[in-house]
Amino acid sequence: MFKINPYRPGAGLMPIYLAGRDDDLENIDSLFMAMTYNIPVQSVIFSGLRGVGKTVLINSLQKKAEEKNIFCKHIEVEERNDFISQIASCSQAFLRKISAKEKFKHLIQKPLEAIKSLVISFDPNDSTFSLAVQERELYKSSNLTQSLTDVFTALGETAYKTESPLCFFIDEIQYMKPEELGALIAALHRTNQLGYPLMLIGAGLPKIYAMLSEAKSYSERLFIYKEIDSLDRDQSIEAIRKPAEKLNVSYTDEAVGEIIDITKGYPFFIQQLCQIVFQNTDGKRIDEKHVESCIPEFFHNLDNGFFKVRYERCSEADKKFIFAMVSCDKLPCTISNIAQVMHKTVSAISTSRAQLINKGIIYAVRYKELDFTVPEFSGFIRRLPEFGEWEKENQEEQK
C-alpha cells in the first residue's frame, strides 16, 4: 500500500523542510541583490563532509538567484569528465540568452570567439565548431589560464553591458584537475578586478581549501569560505519534526532524542532514518520504541548503499590503509600512527594515502592528520567481517 512519506534521502534531493541553513541563504541572497545592480561580489565556496547537504544548499541558492533574473548554470565535476567542455557549454547558453534580444546581438561575437579558442585548444573531442584546418590553427592556444580568462572577461563584459549578471554553480570541485582549477581561479580573479557581475558558488569536500590555496596564493581573498557541518540539536529537531507536521504526525521528545543520537545531526542520516521510521509507523505519534525497531534497517540501508559504494572503489591496499585508520586510538589520526599499525614506513603507505584522498574517501584535517570524508564511516568498517579478520591477523603479526 502506497504511503506518502515526507522524508527524502538522496544525493542532493531537496528535503521538504531545509533546516539550519537560513543564515547561509540570507547572506548569499544579499550578494545576489548586489549583482542585480551590476556590482561585482566575492565568490563563495562551501565545504563539508558527505551527507551534510552541500548540494541541497547550492541548489536552493540557484533557485534564489534565478528568481532575481541572474543567469545560472550548474556544473557537477566528475573524476573522468572534462570541466572545459562543461564551462564552454554553459557559457554558450548564456550567449544564446543574450542574443535573443536584437539590441544585444552585437555583443556576442567577442565572447563567442573566446569560447571557440578555449574549446578548440583544450577540448579536442568537441565538434561544436566546424572550421577549416587553416582557420582552426588561428584559434589554437597553449595557455589554458589565458584562454579561460579571455572567456570570463568577455562574458563579464557582456553581462555588465546587458545588465545580465551571471553565476556558475560548481559542485564536487575537488575532482577538478589542478591546471583547470588554477585557470578558473585566475579567470575569476581578473573578471573581479574589472568589476564585472560574474560570480561562482562552489561546493566540495574539505580538501578543496588546500587545493585552492595551492593553485593560487591569492585564492583566500577571492572567495568567501563557508564550512557546512552537521545540524545542531535545535536544527535537527526542526529537520525531524517539521516534515511530519505537514501530515499531522508528531514525535515524542524521547524519539527525537534517539534519532539525533543515532544520526549525529547529519542531514542525510536524519532523512534516511526518519523515512524508515515514518514508513513503518501507522499511528499519528512516533515514540522511542518505533525508532529503536527501525535502527537495524537504517544501518542495513547505509551499509549496502551510502557506505558500500565508496568502500568498493578502494583497492586492497587502500582497504588495509582504511582498516589501519579505524584501528588507531581516535580520528583524526596521523599518518605515522597509521604506518605504525600497518608495520610499514610512512613513505611505503604514501601512495595509498594519495589515492584515497583523490578518490574523496579521506582528507587531511590538519598537518599530517587524516579523517574520513564520510560521517560514521569508521562504524561501517568495524561492522565488516573482513575488518575483523584483518585485525586478528594484524594482532598476530605483532606477537
Side-chain angles (χ1 to χ4, degrees):
M1 179 178 172
F2 175 76
K3 181 180 180 180
I4 297 174
N5 198 311
Y7 300 98
R8 306 178 70 219
L13 282 178
M14 184 66 66
I16 297 296
Y17 179 80
L18 181 57
R21 307 305 182 206
D22 291 346
D23 289 345
D24 295 311
L25 292 171
E26 290 175 10
N27 291 338
I28 308 303
D29 195 51
S30 64
L31 297 180
F32 292 153
M33 184 60 71
M35 291 265 283
T36 63
Y37 288 98
N38 250 354
I39 299 173
V41 298
Q42 277 182 289
S43 292
V44 183
I45 297 291
F46 294 105
S47 79
L49 302 181
R50 297 289 186 194
V52 295
K54 301 183 297 296
T55 301
V56 167
L57 178 57
I58 66 172
N59 286 343
S60 299
L61 288 169
Q62 183 170 341
K63 286 184 178 180
K64 280 185 168 289
E66 289 171 344
E67 288 170 0
K68 289 180 169 54
N69 292 319
I70 295 173
F71 182 86
C72 302
K73 275 295 179 180
H74 181 98
I75 294 173
E76 182 175 339
V77 184
E78 298 177 4
E79 289 177 273
R80 299 175 183 84
N81 207 356
D82 184 20
F83 172 75
I84 297 303
S85 64
Q86 295 182 81
I87 199 72
S89 177
C90 293
S91 301
Q92 287 172 291
F94 173 69
L95 296 183
R96 283 195 295 271
K97 179 191 175 185
I98 297 301
S99 65
K101 295 182 179 181
E102 189 67 33
K103 64 178 180 178
F104 294 144
K105 282 189 175 181
H106 68 286
L107 297 172
I108 301 304
Q109 194 58 37
K110 182 179 178 180
L112 187 61
E113 294 289 318
I115 294 169
K116 192 183 297 185
S117 178
L118 178 70
V119 170
I120 289 171
S121 301
F122 301 101
D123 186 20
N125 297 321
D126 191 275
S127 58
T128 303
F129 301 101
S130 299
L131 303 175
V133 175
Q134 187 175 10
E135 187 181 4
R136 185 172 286 268
E137 286 300 315
L138 294 174
Y139 288 97
K140 281 283 185 180
S141 170
S142 59
N143 190 323
L144 175 58
T145 295
Q146 187 59 57
S147 292
L148 193 57
T149 299
D150 289 343
V151 170
F152 269 43
T153 54
L155 289 175
E157 182 181 12
T158 301
Y160 181 82
K161 289 181 177 179
T162 61
E163 296 185 352
S164 303
L166 171 62
C167 183
F168 293 113
F169 290 81
I170 305 179
D171 202 3
E172 304 286 8
I173 284 184
Q174 73 276 355
Y175 291 135
M176 287 186 69
K177 299 170 186 174
E179 62 272 17
E180 292 174 346
L181 184 60
L184 177 65
I185 295 170
L188 192 62
H189 183 46
R190 183 55 181 158
T191 306
N192 279 7
Q193 287 178 333
L194 295 172
Y196 294 144
L198 185 155
M199 73 177 298
L200 178 155
I201 293 182
L205 297 175
K207 63 176 280 189
I208 61 175
Y209 290 157
M211 289 177 62
L212 291 165
S213 180
E214 290 169 6
K216 296 291 179 182
S217 60
Y218 54 77
S219 62
E220 71 276 3
R221 288 169 287 158
L222 187 62
F223 298 104
I224 297 172
Y225 292 106
K226 174 66 178 178
E227 185 175 348
I228 303 300
D229 206 345
S230 57
L231 303 177
D232 63 29
R233 188 171 185 84
D234 290 340
Q235 294 165 347
S236 296
I237 291 171
E238 288 189 338
I240 295 165
R241 283 186 158 145
K242 290 286 187 181
E245 287 175 1
K246 292 180 178 291
L247 298 174
N248 298 315
V249 176
S250 63
Y251 289 81
T252 65
D253 291 342
E254 293 76 15
V256 170
E258 183 75 7
I259 292 171
I260 294 173
D261 289 343
I262 295 167
T263 63
K264 306 294 191 296
Y266 286 103
F268 174 74
F269 291 172
I270 288 175
Q271 294 292 316
Q272 182 76 76
L273 179 53
C274 286
Q275 184 188 62
I276 295 169
V277 171
F278 196 92
Q279 192 64 35
N280 291 300
T281 305
D282 295 327
K284 291 293 184 180
R285 190 165 179 81
I286 296 171
D287 61 27
E288 190 175 10
K289 289 183 179 179
H290 290 130
V291 176
E292 289 175 349
S293 68
C294 295
I295 293 174
E297 184 178 351
F298 168 69
F299 282 114
H300 174 81
N301 288 356
L302 289 181
D303 289 355
N304 288 280
F306 186 70
F307 294 133
K308 187 177 182 180
V309 293
R310 290 163 175 81
Y311 178 72
E312 290 188 340
R313 296 177 60 213
C314 301
S315 66
E316 289 304 313
D318 293 341
K319 290 176 182 177
K320 289 180 180 178
F321 188 102
I322 289 171
F323 291 165
M325 279 185 66
V326 175
S327 292
C328 290
D329 291 336
K330 62 178 181 178
L331 292 173
C333 58
T334 63
I335 190 169
S336 59
N337 284 345
I338 297 168
Q340 185 177 3
V341 171
M342 298 179 72
H343 316 298
K344 295 180 181 291
T345 63
V346 169
S347 60
I349 64 172
S350 60
T351 300
S352 290
R353 173 187 176 275
Q355 288 176 342
L356 286 166
I357 289 176
N358 289 335
K359 290 174 182 177
I361 306 296
I362 66 173
Y363 71 104
V365 181
R366 290 177 289 275
Y367 181 64
K368 293 185 178 180
E369 288 190 337
L370 302 169
D371 203 346
F372 295 112
T373 62
V374 181
E376 303 302 308
F377 194 67
S378 59
F380 161 71
I381 296 298
R382 290 187 182 280
R383 290 190 291 273
L384 291 173
E386 52 261 47
F387 173 73
E389 295 170 4
W390 174 88
E391 202 168 34
K392 185 177 180 180
E393 290 174 4
N394 197 52
Q395 289 172 351
E396 289 177 354
E397 288 179 11
Q398 287 182 318
K399 293 179 180 179

Coordinates of all heavy atoms in Angstrom, one line a residue, residues 6 30 36 91-93 105 112 129 132 138 163 172 181-182 223 232 234 238 261 279 301 303 319 357 360 363 370 382:
P6 N 7.2 12.1 3.9 CA 7.7 13.5 3.8 C 9.2 13.6 3.8 O 9.8 14.7 3.7 CB 7.1 14.2 4.9 CG 7.0 13.2 6.0 CD 6.7 11.9 5.3
S30 N 22.0 38.4 -0.3 CA 22.4 39.8 -0.4 C 23.5 40.0 -1.5 O 23.5 41.1 -2.1 CB 23.0 40.2 1.0 OG 24.1 39.5 1.3
T36 N 22.5 42.2 -9.1 CA 21.4 42.8 -9.9 C 21.6 44.3 -10.2 O 21.0 44.8 -11.1 CB 20.0 42.5 -9.3 OG1 19.9 43.2 -8.1 CG2 19.7 41.0 -9.1
S91 N 28.7 28.6 -20.9 CA 29.0 30.0 -21.5 C 28.2 30.2 -22.8 O 27.7 31.3 -23.0 CB 30.5 30.2 -21.7 OG 31.2 30.0 -20.5
Q92 N 28.1 29.2 -23.6 CA 27.4 29.4 -24.8 C 25.9 29.6 -24.6 O 25.2 30.3 -25.3 CB 27.6 28.1 -25.7 CG 29.0 28.1 -26.4 CD 29.3 26.8 -27.1 OE1 29.4 25.7 -26.4 NE2 29.3 26.8 -28.4
A93 N 25.4 28.9 -23.5 CA 24.0 29.0 -23.2 C 23.7 30.5 -22.7 O 22.6 31.0 -23.1 CB 23.6 28.1 -22.0
K105 N 22.7 41.7 -29.8 CA 23.4 40.7 -30.7 C 24.8 41.0 -31.0 O 25.7 40.2 -31.2 CB 22.6 40.5 -32.0 CG 21.4 39.6 -31.8 CD 20.7 39.2 -33.1 CE 19.5 38.2 -32.8 NZ 18.9 37.8 -34.1
L112 N 32.1 34.8 -27.9 CA 32.0 33.6 -28.7 C 33.3 33.2 -29.3 O 33.7 32.0 -29.3 CB 31.0 33.8 -29.9 CG 30.6 32.5 -30.7 CD1 30.0 31.5 -29.8 CD2 29.7 32.9 -31.8
F129 N 32.5 23.5 -33.1 CA 32.9 24.5 -34.2 C 33.5 23.8 -35.4 O 34.6 23.2 -35.3 CB 33.9 25.5 -33.6 CG 33.4 26.3 -32.4 CD1 33.7 25.9 -31.1 CD2 32.4 27.3 -32.6 CE1 33.2 26.6 -30.0 CE2 31.9 28.0 -31.5 CZ 32.3 27.6 -30.2
A132 N 37.8 25.1 -41.0 CA 38.9 24.5 -41.8 C 40.2 24.4 -41.0 O 40.4 25.1 -40.0 CB 39.1 25.4 -43.0
L138 N 44.3 29.3 -36.3 CA 44.3 30.6 -35.8 C 43.8 30.7 -34.4 O 44.1 31.7 -33.7 CB 43.4 31.5 -36.7 CG 43.9 31.7 -38.2 CD1 42.9 32.5 -39.0 CD2 45.2 32.5 -38.2
E163 N 23.4 44.2 -18.4 CA 22.8 44.2 -17.1 C 22.2 42.8 -16.8 O 21.1 42.7 -16.3 CB 21.8 45.3 -16.8 CG 22.4 46.7 -16.9 CD 21.4 47.8 -16.6 OE1 20.2 47.5 -16.5 OE2 21.9 48.9 -16.4
E172 N 31.2 19.5 -6.5 CA 32.3 18.5 -6.5 C 33.6 19.1 -7.0 O 34.3 18.5 -7.8 CB 31.9 17.2 -7.3 CG 30.7 16.5 -6.8 CD 30.8 15.8 -5.5 OE1 31.9 15.9 -4.8 OE2 29.9 15.1 -5.1
L181 N 41.7 24.1 -12.2 CA 41.4 24.9 -11.0 C 42.2 26.2 -11.0 O 41.6 27.2 -10.7 CB 41.6 24.0 -9.7 CG 41.2 24.7 -8.4 CD1 39.7 25.0 -8.4 CD2 41.6 23.8 -7.2
G182 N 43.4 26.1 -11.3 CA 44.3 27.3 -11.3 C 43.8 28.3 -12.3 O 43.8 29.5 -12.1
F223 N 37.6 34.3 -2.4 CA 36.4 33.6 -2.1 C 35.9 33.9 -0.6 O 36.8 34.2 0.2 CB 36.6 32.1 -2.2 CG 36.9 31.6 -3.6 CD1 38.2 31.3 -3.9 CD2 35.9 31.6 -4.5 CE1 38.5 30.8 -5.2 CE2 36.2 31.1 -5.8 CZ 37.5 30.8 -6.2
D232 N 22.9 21.4 14.5 CA 23.0 21.4 15.9 C 21.6 20.8 16.4 O 20.8 20.4 15.6 CB 23.2 22.8 16.5 CG 22.1 23.8 16.2 OD1 21.0 23.4 16.0 OD2 22.5 25.0 16.1
D234 N 18.9 21.9 18.0 CA 17.7 22.6 17.6 C 17.3 22.5 16.1 O 16.2 22.3 15.7 CB 17.7 24.1 18.0 CG 17.7 24.3 19.5 OD1 17.2 23.4 20.2 OD2 18.1 25.4 20.0
E238 N 14.1 20.5 14.2 CA 13.3 21.0 13.1 C 13.3 20.1 11.9 O 12.2 19.8 11.3 CB 13.8 22.4 12.7 CG 13.5 23.5 13.7 CD 13.8 24.9 13.2 OE1 14.7 24.9 12.2 OE2 13.3 25.8 13.7
D261 N 20.7 11.2 18.5 CA 21.9 10.4 19.0 C 22.4 9.5 17.9 O 23.7 9.3 17.8 CB 21.5 9.6 20.2 CG 21.3 10.4 21.4 OD1 21.7 11.6 21.4 OD2 20.6 10.0 22.4
Q279 N 7.7 5.3 7.5 CA 7.2 4.2 6.7 C 6.6 3.1 7.5 O 5.6 2.4 7.2 CB 8.2 3.7 5.7 CG 7.6 2.8 4.6 CD 6.7 3.6 3.7 OE1 6.8 4.8 3.4 NE2 5.6 2.9 3.2
N301 N 20.6 -0.3 5.3 CA 20.5 0.6 4.1 C 21.8 1.4 3.9 O 22.2 1.5 2.8 CB 19.3 1.5 4.2 CG 18.0 0.8 4.1 OD1 17.9 -0.4 3.8 ND2 16.9 1.5 4.2
D303 N 24.8 0.7 5.1 CA 25.9 -0.3 4.8 C 25.9 -0.8 3.4 O 27.0 -1.0 2.7 CB 25.9 -1.4 5.8 CG 26.3 -1.0 7.2 OD1 26.7 0.1 7.4 OD2 26.2 -1.9 8.1
K319 N 42.1 -0.5 1.2 CA 41.3 -1.1 2.3 C 42.2 -1.3 3.6 O 41.7 -1.0 4.7 CB 40.6 -2.3 1.9 CG 39.5 -2.1 0.8 CD 38.9 -3.4 0.3 CE 37.9 -3.1 -0.7 NZ 37.3 -4.4 -1.3
I357 N 42.8 10.1 -0.9 CA 42.4 11.5 -1.0 C 41.8 11.9 -2.3 O 40.8 12.5 -2.4 CB 43.7 12.4 -0.7 CG1 44.0 12.2 0.8 CG2 43.4 13.8 -1.0 CD1 45.3 13.0 1.2
G360 N 38.4 10.8 -2.8 CA 37.4 11.5 -1.9 C 37.0 10.7 -0.7 O 35.9 10.9 -0.2
Y363 N 40.5 12.8 3.9 CA 41.1 14.2 3.7 C 42.0 14.5 4.8 O 42.0 13.9 5.9 CB 39.9 15.2 3.6 CG 39.2 15.5 4.9 CD1 39.5 16.7 5.6 CD2 38.3 14.6 5.4 CE1 38.8 17.0 6.7 CE2 37.6 14.9 6.6 CZ 37.9 16.1 7.2 OH 37.2 16.4 8.4
L370 N 44.6 12.7 9.3 CA 43.7 12.3 8.3 C 42.3 11.8 9.0 O 42.3 11.4 10.1 CB 44.2 11.1 7.5 CG 45.5 11.3 6.8 CD1 46.1 10.0 6.3 CD2 45.4 12.3 5.6
R382 N 34.0 -1.1 11.0 CA 34.0 -2.1 12.1 C 33.0 -3.2 12.0 O 33.1 -4.3 12.5 CB 33.8 -1.3 13.4 CG 35.0 -0.4 13.8 CD 34.8 0.2 15.2 NE 35.9 1.1 15.5 CZ 37.1 0.6 15.9 NH1 37.3 -0.6 16.1 NH2 38.1 1.5 16.2

